[in-house]
Each structure stands twice: as C-alpha cells, then as structure tokens.
Amino acid sequence: MANSKFEYVKQFEQPDSLLPNTWIVVRLDGRGFTKFSTKYAFEKPNDKRALDLMNAAALAVMSELPDITIAYGVSDEYSFVFHKSCTLFERRASKLVSTIVSTFTAYYIHLWSTYFPSSPLSPPLPSFDGRAVTYPSVQNLRDYMSWRQVDCHINNLYNTTFWALIQRGGMDGTAAEQMLKGTFSADKNEILFSKFGINYNKEPEMFKKGSVIFRDYELVEPETGTGTKTIKGEEGGNSAVPEVKSKSQLEKEKKARTKAKIVVEHLDIIRDEFWERRPWLLS
Ligand code: ATP
Ligand code: ATP
Ligand code: MG
Ligand code: MG
Ligand code: MG
Ligand code: MG
Ligand code: MG
C-alpha cells in the first residue's frame, strides 16, 4: 500500500483480538423480529417456515466457515461456536462477528423466497445484531449452550400455553397473561392437557429443543459402566499451555471438516450424552 500523510489514521484502530485458548461464541439475533414476525404473519407461537429458514441460513454459514464447531438456534437467534484453538482472522472480534452476521443475513434474504414463496420481502429488510463472548472452559461453554436450550424450553412452554389460551380458549392477551402469572411448568402442562388435550411432550422437537447444527462423524457408543465421568476436551495437567498442533495436522483436520456432512438436529444438548457420543466436538 502506498504511503501517504493520511496513513497515520490507521493507528486509531483498536486491537480487538479475543483471549487465546478460549471458546468463542458468536450469537446473532434478529432486529425487531416481534414486528417483523407480525409483518409477515408468522404463525404463533412457532412458524416452522421461519425456523427452517434460520436453520438453512445457519447451515450455509457453517459450510462457508469450516472453523465453526457447532451452532445452536432458537427463535430469531443463533449461536456459533469456534474451537478454542481457532485462529481465524487472528481471533479479531469485529472481523468474526461481522463476517458471521453478514453471511447469515445474506443467506437469510437469499433463501427467504424458498420458505415464504408468497410473501416477497420489502424494506425494512431483516437484519441481525451480533456479539462475541469467550468461555475459558468446556464446562463454561456447555453451560452457555445449556442456558440457551433451557431458555428455549421455558419460552416455548410459556408461549405454547399462552397462544393456546388465545387461539383455542378465546381469551385476549391480557387475560391469558393474567392466567399464567406465577404458574410453574407443571401448571402450564396441566392447563394445556386439561383444557385443550395438548400433551406438551408431543409437540415438535424443533419447537421444544431448538436446533443444533454440527459436523457429523461416527457416533461413539455410550459407556455402560459407572466409572467417574470426565468432560472430554478439558485436559488435565498444565491446561494453561495450549496444545500445539502442527500446521499439516491443522490442514488435515480442516480438510476433513470441510468434507464432513453438516446436520441439523433437535437434540438435548444439556445432558452429557450428546457430547459423549460426539467427542470430536470438544476435543
Ligand atoms: P430485538 O431487536 O431487541 O432482538 P425482537 O423483537 O427481535 O427485539 P426478541 O427477544 O429477539 O425481540 O424476540 C424475537 C421475536 O420474534 C419474538 O416476539 C418471537 O415471538 C418472534 N419470532 C421469532 N421467530 C419466530 C417464529 N419462528 N415464529 C413465530 N414468532 C417468531
Ligand atoms: P480481505 O478478506 O482480507 O478483506 P480482500 O481480498 O477482500 O481480503 P481487500 O484488501 O479488501 O482484500 O481488497 C479488496 C479487493 O477487491 C482488491 O483486490 C480490489 O481490487 C478488489 N475490488 C474491490 N472493489 C472492486 C471494484 N469495484 N472493481 C474492481 N476490483 C475491486
Ligand atoms: Mg478492503
Ligand atoms: Mg436482542
Ligand atoms: Mg430479536
Ligand atoms: Mg431473540
Ligand atoms: Mg476485503
């Protein structure tokens, strides 16, 4: 690049590379989707087309960025996890976040007509915000994923009951809200079943659990013994020193990741089983 007297302004840029050897989570969220979902008449509480579109856009992001290990989505949000050894964009937060958010948004708009063929988009167009958070341990990362999935469950049980009271029970929003005030999960299950014959457990898995996207390799059979459990990927010993992989090893792994099939599932990611059967995710 040519030198000029203006070049000093480059120095105003602040470094923003994320702490090394930590799991990076980039979470995006739809801007003003309460309004957006009304504009395009999303079915309440869960519009399957809108969730399928979120999943398709996230799948495209995962295919374009092989450094992403796993992603989890619910409602208008998606979390993308980068392995703690990831060095993409020198781990610069703004580069990582802006690339993910713009790639996701581009695909969301590109794929819109596939999922909503009879409602063409018009301004204001859908947009997403994003942030990056680092987690120093596998336990913290798994707790993050659990947090999002618990949130999905709590919101979905509430919304399913709320909208049943309105759509099937003829209540208005205020009355439904009043009825649900202070209720526990068991109460909501009971309202759904006794008033509307809805067994919450039989609701679609995508609504209850959200969506998890990952690269699929061979499953590892769960151990049947009762030995003490250790969380995979949490090395013992001197864990302050990151494991150093050779360049050719990293290249090989990247190639394998690029070729692997990416799947969208609706599984429990809170319990150990999901992670124990897929040890490559956290190792
Ligand atoms: P913000 O810009 O602060 O995120 P928001 O209106 O997007 O504001 P959120 O908390 O992100 O607020 O909530 C997302 C909204 O989008 C909720 O009202 C939710 O009901 C709606 N929504 C998202 N996905 C769907 C879907 N698949 N079906 C029906 N409604 C949806
Ligand atoms: P990075 O991902 O690091 O930004 P890059 O390849 O995008 O990599 P830039 O420094 O952003 O690198 O440079 C942008 C490139 O795109 C340059 O090679 C430039 O010549 C080319 N380019 C951008 N806009 C135009 C245009 N309108 N016409 C021709 N070439 C263009
Ligand atoms: Mg440029
Ligand atoms: Mg938000
Ligand atoms: Mg939102
Ligand atoms: Mg949201
Ligand atoms: Mg460029």
Side-chain angles (χ1 to χ4, degrees):
M1 209 210 279
N3 270 316
S4 79
K5 66 168 179 175
F6 305 119
E7 215 175 295
Y8 77 95
V9 296
K10 181 83 180 147
Q11 290 165 25
F12 284 61
E13 284 187 20
Q14 297 293 302
D16 67 342
S17 73
L18 295 164
L19 195 68
N21 202 33
T22 53
W23 297 87
I24 300 170
V25 176
V26 174
R27 181 171 75 253
L28 54 79
D29 184 285
R31 174 164 181 240
F33 264 47
T34 305
K35 215 168 163 189
F36 183 79
S37 62
T38 307
K39 181 179 172 190
Y40 292 99
F42 283 14
E43 278 167 42
K44 289 291 174 182
N46 291 292
D47 190 300
K48 183 179 170 340
R49 299 164 301 173
L51 294 172
D52 287 340
L53 172 56
M54 289 291 292
N55 292 343
L59 189 90
V61 169
M62 295 241 345
S63 331
E64 291 203 5
L65 293 145
D67 292 88
I68 299 168
T69 300
I70 187 167
Y72 176 74
V74 46
S75 180
D76 67 341
E77 71 167 63
Y78 241 99
S79 300
F80 297 89
V81 179
F82 291 92
H83 194 273
K84 63 181 173 135
S85 68
C86 172
T87 55
L88 183 63
F89 304 135
E90 289 100 41
R91 298 173 71 88
R92 287 160 65 187
S94 57
K95 283 264 198 179
L96 289 166
V97 172
S98 58
T99 302
I100 294 234
V101 172
S102 65
T103 307
F104 185 93
T105 308
Y107 275 102
Y108 189 93
I109 290 171
H110 174 63
L111 295 168
W112 173 266
S113 62
T114 307
Y115 295 89
F116 291 88
S118 47
S119 339
L121 279 175
S122 62
L125 296 173
S127 58
F128 295 82
D129 69 50
R131 72 200 66 188
V133 183
T134 52
Y135 292 102
S137 70
V138 166
Q139 187 64 60
N140 293 151
L141 174 68
R142 278 197 47 190
D143 287 345
Y144 171 83
M145 302 297 270
S146 300
W147 173 51
R148 296 326 299 145
Q149 193 165 50
V150 166
D151 208 59
C152 169
H153 168 73
I154 291 169
N155 288 333
N156 191 57
L157 178 58
Y158 182 92
N159 291 336
T160 304
T161 317
F162 177 82
W163 285 100
L165 288 170
I166 291 172
Q167 292 161 347
R168 300 210 198 180
M171 281 187 181
D172 64 20
T174 318
E177 203 181 320
Q178 201 52 42
M179 174 146 190
L180 292 178
K181 214 175 216 165
T183 56
F184 296 106
S185 290
D187 306 319
K188 293 183 192 81
N189 275 297
E190 181 56 27
I191 292 171
L192 281 174
F193 196 70
S194 62
K195 279 192 184 289
F196 309 112
I198 297 170
N199 180 348
Y200 183 76
N201 293 326
K202 293 198 173 140
E203 286 291 293
E205 292 300 306
M206 178 162 67
F207 300 172
K208 287 185 299 180
K209 297 204 171 71
S211 301
V212 53
I213 310 186
F214 53 90
R215 282 164 233 283
D216 209 14
Y217 302 100
E218 230 172 292
L219 287 177
V220 173
E221 283 313 310
E223 274 178 54
T224 44
T226 50
T228 48
K229 274 183 195 147
T230 51
I231 292 176
K232 304 252 165 58
E234 194 93 90
E235 319 97 325
N238 192 353
S239 60
V241 180
E243 183 190 349
V244 182
K245 289 177 181 170
S246 71
K247 219 172 184 163
S248 66
Q249 179 63 25
L250 287 171
E251 276 306 311
K252 221 171 100 189
E253 286 180 9
K254 191 163 180 174
K255 234 180 216 152
R257 278 202 302 273
T258 311
K259 276 204 296 197
K261 188 172 59 136
I262 307 174
V263 295
V264 182
E265 309 252 28
H266 317 290
L267 299 167
D268 184 314
I269 55 169
I270 299 171
R271 280 182 281 160
D272 293 334
E273 189 196 351
F274 173 83
W275 306 98
E276 283 175 351
R277 297 193 76 188
R278 297 167 187 83
W280 61 86
L281 292 174
L282 298 177
S283 65

